[in-house]
Amino acid sequence: MTDHPITDLFIIGGGINGCGIARDAAGRGMSVTLAEMNDLASATSSAATKLFHGGLRYLEYFEFRLVREALIEREVLLMAMPHISWPMRFVLPYHADMRFENDTPTSKLLSGIMPWMKGRRPAWLIRLGLFMYDTLGKRGILPGTRKLDLTKDEAGKPLNSKFETAFEYSDCWVEDARLVMLNARDAQDRGATILPRTKVIGTKRMADHWEITLEDRDSGEVHTRCAKMLVNAGGPWVADLLQKQLNIQSNETVRLVRGSHIVVPKLYDHDRCYFFQGTDGRIIFAIPYEEDYTLLGTTDADHTDVDTPPECTEAEQDYLVKFASEYFNAPVTRDQIVWTYSGVRPLYDDGASSATAATREYVLSLNQDAAPLLNVFGGKITTYRKLAEAAMVKISSALPNLTSNWTAGVPLPGGDFAVEDVKTLQAKLATDYPYLSPYATRRLIRAYGTEAWEVLGEASSASDLGQDFGATITARELDWAIAREWVRTGEDYLWRRTKLGLRLSEEERATVNGYITQQAAKLAA
């Protein structure tokens, strides 16, 4: 056993909430340790629909505070990470047969006032919702809503001819797993200790501190850390940790909701997204993905066992291709699917009747029966920074004299450039490294921003970058990822830090994995 000095904060969970809190706390001068039992962002935070969005459909549930906070946050986040986040326009085709879920508050209200409208989404109501979407939050970068004539606009070409009208509005894309990793990087740069692949196997609560027993999942080594306060940001495991590891009985829990996505070869040529509404009241997105693909999702289904890895079931795949086929001219079929992924959203259990209706609000619960404990329930990726600020308010009541909020407007690593300068940065990289392909140039800036020059270093030719693994992956980049981004397996790099696994064969993926595990072992020796 190895004893350590008492730190201010110990955080369990290396998803977006845990890493966001670690960054915020470290930036206020707190001593912070974070432990994640697997790779960073290995669960919910790498399996999102990958959007910074206000949540247009949450307006139907009257979640106005959450939507307003998320709408305001979109541009705050965009300016802090213009390499991994960018504006996108969403096309919402309209047809008279569109329906609500029958149990939404809006549907119930409309049915009570206008019974003949039961379940329908009239055009005026959609336009009203989009007007609120444009005005609830501040917009300085993102353009507002406009109406489209799909018989003339390019967005109408891939769609069924029955859709003649659409509304177009703004939200933002984000590389979710990179967002988590960059928050962890910034936290570490500000003094935090980040421990991926380190599982909490026991805790002991004292009057004024916690003793946390940890197991290094690679080496099997067991050691102890001590902290004045503990933050349980375990995501889907938050309630499980509360009862089994922290030995605290509580009525607060989460509702596990599985969201599944499928990826198919790109279904259309323009760069806008689609917001599709089903006759069952549900919605899905169709989003340009990794340049050559289209992402379709998501589903909402209850997930019963936190320790059962979520998978996109055949029924969910059938649902998504059928849903999309109701909109696109050319049917989407199961045999087009090149990849699926699924994540479990830990929504605060408010007793909602359906997975879709469960609140997306976050709940922070502070327990000060002895050494303080903060439990984090729910949340969404768009509001992670605001959640971290709210967590710091709770933390300051137990550990006072903290400095004020600081994260708004402070860029994440590689994000120190203006939103509108992405193409300028790509052009400069192409000039400085003329042997890079146009795709490689775009990809490196989107992944690393201004740190792309640090990744490539003084390489004056492609051969200086070392082994070529395909899909523009080189040994130089893998070495960077191992040294700076906690990459230890091929999966970490190919499916979380990037999505380049889509572009490699099984044999090529195995080669990447072999190189990473070999180099990581040398680093650990």
Side-chain angles (χ1 to χ4, degrees):
M1 302 282 267
T2 302
D3 292 323
H4 289 260
I6 297 178
T7 59
D8 293 322
L9 217 58
F10 190 98
I11 301 169
I12 305 175
I16 188 55
N17 290 335
C19 291
I21 293 170
R23 180 196 185 217
D24 195 324
R28 297 177 197 242
M30 299 186 78
S31 54
V32 179
T33 300
L34 179 146
E36 161 58 45
M37 64 179 175
N38 298 308
D39 181 32
L40 298 172
S42 58
T44 305
S45 295
S46 60
T49 309
K50 309 180 194 310
L51 299 176
F52 282 149
H53 67 125
L56 182 59
R57 69 188 179 94
Y58 304 153
L59 291 174
E60 294 182 8
Y61 295 92
F62 299 161
E63 299 218 36
F64 299 120
R65 190 215 64 80
L66 175 66
V67 174
R68 174 177 166 76
E69 181 177 79
L71 288 171
I72 293 171
E73 271 296 283
R74 293 177 307 175
E75 295 195 8
V76 174
L77 298 174
L78 179 60
M79 289 186 288
M81 54 196 82
H83 50 330
I84 63 166
S85 180
W86 51 89
M88 294 187 104
R89 295 290 280 174
F90 287 73
V91 176
L92 194 165
Y94 177 75
H95 193 271
D97 62 8
M98 289 174 174
R99 296 291 183 269
F100 288 104
E101 275 197 308
N102 288 328
D103 63 351
T104 70
T106 300
S107 182
K108 292 175 182 177
L109 178 63
L110 196 63
S111 296
I113 299 172
M114 306 175 187
W116 62 92
M117 297 292 293
K118 184 175 182 180
R120 290 182 58 194
R121 273 190 179 103
W124 64 262
L125 189 63
I126 293 173
R127 190 64 187 89
L128 175 62
L130 287 166
F131 171 77
M132 294 177 66
Y133 207 69
D134 281 345
T135 55
L136 275 174
K138 299 174 183 178
R139 287 185 299 106
I141 299 173
L142 303 176
T145 298
R146 67 182 183 122
K147 190 174 182 179
L148 299 182
D149 180 349
L150 293 179
T151 65
K152 299 177 180 178
D153 192 281
E154 184 184 19
K157 291 180 181 178
L159 299 181
N160 187 303
S161 60
K162 78 173 184 178
F163 297 105
E164 298 180 350
T165 300
F167 301 99
E168 184 183 276
Y169 67 95
S170 292
D171 267 321
C172 299
W173 176 264
V174 63
E175 298 289 350
D176 53 1
R178 291 202 66 77
L179 172 67
V180 176
M181 185 276 302
L182 290 176
N183 270 271
R185 280 262 319 273
D186 201 47
Q188 180 176 259
D189 290 345
R190 297 174 189 277
T193 299
I194 308 296
L195 303 172
R197 297 176 177 80
T198 303
K199 186 174 182 178
V200 174
I201 58 174
T203 62
K204 188 174 182 180
R205 192 180 196 183
M206 309 295 193
D208 61 351
H209 73 279
W210 288 84
E211 290 184 2
I212 304 103
T213 304
L214 305 169
E215 180 185 41
D216 184 312
R217 301 192 74 181
D218 290 333
S219 68
E221 179 187 350
V222 174
H223 60 279
T224 297
R225 300 264 178 163
C226 297
K228 296 176 184 176
M229 184 172 184
L230 191 122
V231 176
N232 174 12
W237 289 270
V238 61
D240 204 53
L241 281 164
L242 189 60
Q243 295 180 15
K244 296 180 181 178
Q245 300 297 346
L246 307 179
N247 301 311
I248 294 174
Q249 298 305 309
S250 172
N251 293 326
E252 293 180 305
T253 188
V254 288
R255 181 172 190 162
L256 303 179
V257 176
R258 186 177 66 254
S260 294
H261 300 75
I262 61 174
V263 176
V264 299
K266 69 178 181 178
L267 301 174
Y268 51 90
D269 293 327
H270 61 78
D271 62 358
R272 286 174 281 180
C273 312
Y274 290 102
F275 180 114
F276 292 154
Q277 304 175 90
T279 55
D280 62 354
R282 295 287 316 288
I283 67 102
I284 66 167
F285 294 104
I287 305 175
Y289 190 65
E290 296 294 316
E291 297 199 7
D292 297 319
Y293 304 92
T294 300
L295 174 67
L296 297 171
T298 180
T299 60
D300 278 307
D302 284 315
H303 191 79
T304 55
D305 180 13
V306 68
D307 291 319
T308 299
E311 294 183 357
C312 183
T313 65
E314 291 189 2
E316 286 175 310
Q317 294 176 43
D318 288 338
Y319 175 81
L320 290 171
V321 298
K322 182 177 183 295
F323 200 143
S325 296
E326 291 171 357
Y327 277 82
F328 288 114
N329 274 326
V332 183
T333 60
R334 282 274 300 278
D335 60 7
Q336 290 176 275
I337 298 173
V338 297
W339 185 48
T340 71
Y341 68 89
S342 188
V344 175
R345 296 188 288 272
L347 307 180
Y348 184 73
D349 192 351
D350 61 355
S353 59
S354 71
T356 305
T359 183
R360 267 58 176 176
E361 286 274 15
Y362 54 81
V363 174
L364 306 175
S365 178
L366 180 64
N367 180 310
Q368 297 192 80
D369 292 344
L373 165 69
L374 180 66
N375 296 296
V376 180
F377 298 93
K380 60 197 293 281
I381 195 168
T382 312
T383 53
Y384 87 89
R385 193 191 67 84
K386 296 298 290 184
L387 183 151
E389 287 185 342
M392 295 309 300
V393 172
K394 295 278 190 180
I395 290 167
S396 67
S397 68
L399 305 177
N401 303 318
L402 297 182
T403 57
S404 58
N405 294 342
W406 66 274
T407 55
V410 177
L412 290 172
D416 51 336
F417 62 97
V419 174
E420 63 272 17
D421 287 346
V422 172
K423 290 190 181 300
T424 301
L425 216 61
Q426 290 172 350
K428 185 177 188 310
L429 191 71
T431 299
D432 292 348
Y433 300 93
Y435 52 84
L436 293 176
S437 69
Y439 169 72
T441 301
R442 293 193 302 273
R443 183 183 73 77
L444 290 168
I445 292 299
R446 281 304 189 192
Y448 304 106
T450 55
E451 290 191 321
W453 281 263
E454 191 174 336
V455 174
L456 298 173
E458 298 180 359
S460 59
S461 67
S463 61
D464 290 338
L465 298 176
Q467 184 176 348
D468 182 348
F469 295 90
T472 73
I473 303 167
T474 63
R476 175 72 64 92
E477 184 180 353
L478 293 182
D479 290 344
W480 161 273
I482 294 164
R484 300 295 303 277
E485 297 189 348
W486 296 283
V487 164
R488 294 295 178 267
T489 70
E491 183 179 0
D492 298 345
Y493 175 82
L494 293 172
W495 298 109
R496 281 188 287 277
R497 308 302 185 277
T498 74
K499 297 299 182 289
L500 290 170
L502 286 168
R503 297 179 177 274
L504 298 181
S505 67
E506 186 175 347
E507 182 179 355
E508 288 170 325
R509 291 194 291 267
T511 301
V512 170
N513 182 66
Y515 180 87
I516 290 172
T517 53
Q518 183 181 48
Q519 294 300 107
K522 290 180 182 177
L523 190 67

